[in-house]
Amino acid sequence: IYDLFVDLWGDEKLWVTIDRANVNIPVRNDWDFPGFLHWDIDVTYRPMPNNIQGVLSLNNNSKNSGGLQIIPDLFIQLEEWLKKKPKGWNESADGRHHYSKYFSEFDVLNLESNAGDLAIWDSRMVHGTSPNKSDYPRFAQYISMVPAEPGQDELLKIRLESFKNRRGPEGCGMPGDGRELTFGLPSKLTKHGKRLLGEMLWS
């Protein structure tokens, strides 16, 4: 995985993201999850942010079992779409920036995956989790790597404390489980792992 992100970024000095896992249970009478589509970046900002996202499947998923969904055609024509974007498209009552209802003109692609498959996409790609219409849960781990920022002292402190305390990092969009649960013993990192966390500088 590291080598893959090295190739994508053209940089060997990377930090792994501290992200969350996802469990998407099947839709049923007391759980009606419609899925969603969104961006995790502000696509109106210029220059548009450059980022790469990824999700690792932890079990096999069919097209109907609540996995990753994307809209490739919108990615291809994003600049043109933004010029004629629907009124109110980026106004979100819940602050989560789910824009599903504005993409009805596009075909949504639901991805199949096997346990161990890693899907990677450019953050300019509309993406999200689809409704789980199967009879089993979908399990996944979000994971990506980005160029290291050792000079960002506050960010580094957040990363190190998050790993040490085994909790979601504070002050970011992925705070983790709100119940503040911790599980098991801390992982023992290799030298390479310490560099990916930021505990050890890349030489």
Side-chain angles (χ1 to χ4, degrees):
I1 293 176
Y2 167 74
D3 289 341
L4 178 59
F5 281 103
V6 167
D7 290 343
L8 290 172
W9 284 110
D11 190 344
E12 295 183 350
K13 300 177 180 179
L14 301 177
W15 279 354
V16 67
T17 52
I18 298 176
D19 218 320
R20 65 178 65 190
N22 174 264
V23 179
N24 186 6
I25 63 175
V27 172
R28 57 194 186 194
N29 291 337
D30 60 344
W31 176 253
D32 183 17
F33 174 67
F36 61 89
L37 290 159
H38 70 170
W39 286 286
D40 289 299
I41 62 171
D42 182 353
V43 292
T44 64
Y45 187 82
R46 293 296 180 272
M48 196 179 296
N50 180 27
N51 198 23
I52 301 168
Q53 296 175 246
V55 62
L56 176 69
S57 294
L58 301 180
N59 63 332
N60 297 339
N61 293 280
S62 70
K63 291 182 179 180
N64 296 317
S65 57
L68 177 67
Q69 58 179 353
I70 58 175
I71 305 182
D73 287 343
L74 178 53
F75 176 76
I76 294 171
Q77 53 186 287
L78 179 56
E79 292 295 343
E80 288 301 313
W81 185 86
L82 287 172
K83 291 177 183 178
K84 60 177 184 179
K85 55 188 177 294
K87 183 179 180 181
W89 71 278
N90 62 344
E91 297 174 2
S92 176
D94 63 4
R96 299 180 66 186
H97 307 294
H98 294 175
Y99 311 130
S100 303
K101 65 181 180 180
Y102 298 108
F103 303 139
S104 59
E105 64 189 281
F106 297 100
D107 291 329
V108 178
L109 178 62
N110 290 340
L111 301 183
E112 293 182 289
S113 61
N114 293 318
D117 285 348
L118 176 65
I120 297 176
W121 64 95
D122 186 302
S123 289
R124 294 170 295 176
M125 174 79 75
V126 169
H127 64 280
T129 301
S130 59
N132 188 345
K133 300 177 182 179
S134 72
D135 58 0
Y136 59 91
R138 175 252 190 163
F139 297 97
Q141 171 67 53
Y142 299 109
I143 182 171
S144 186
M145 295 183 190
V146 297
E149 299 183 84
Q152 297 291 328
D153 294 340
E154 186 61 27
L155 175 60
L156 181 56
K157 179 182 177 183
I158 290 172
R159 290 174 58 82
L160 296 179
E161 289 184 351
S162 174
F163 178 80
K164 177 182 178 182
N165 299 324
R166 288 164 289 147
R167 293 183 178 178
E170 297 180 3
C172 75
M174 295 293 178
D177 193 307
R179 295 171 294 174
E180 298 186 354
L181 302 177
T182 57
F183 301 94
L185 299 174
S187 300
K188 294 182 179 180
L189 297 179
T190 63
K191 183 182 293 185
H192 187 67
K194 291 178 180 179
R195 287 171 174 158
L196 286 173
L197 175 64
E199 182 180 334
M200 180 181 292
L201 292 175
W202 288 95
S203 55

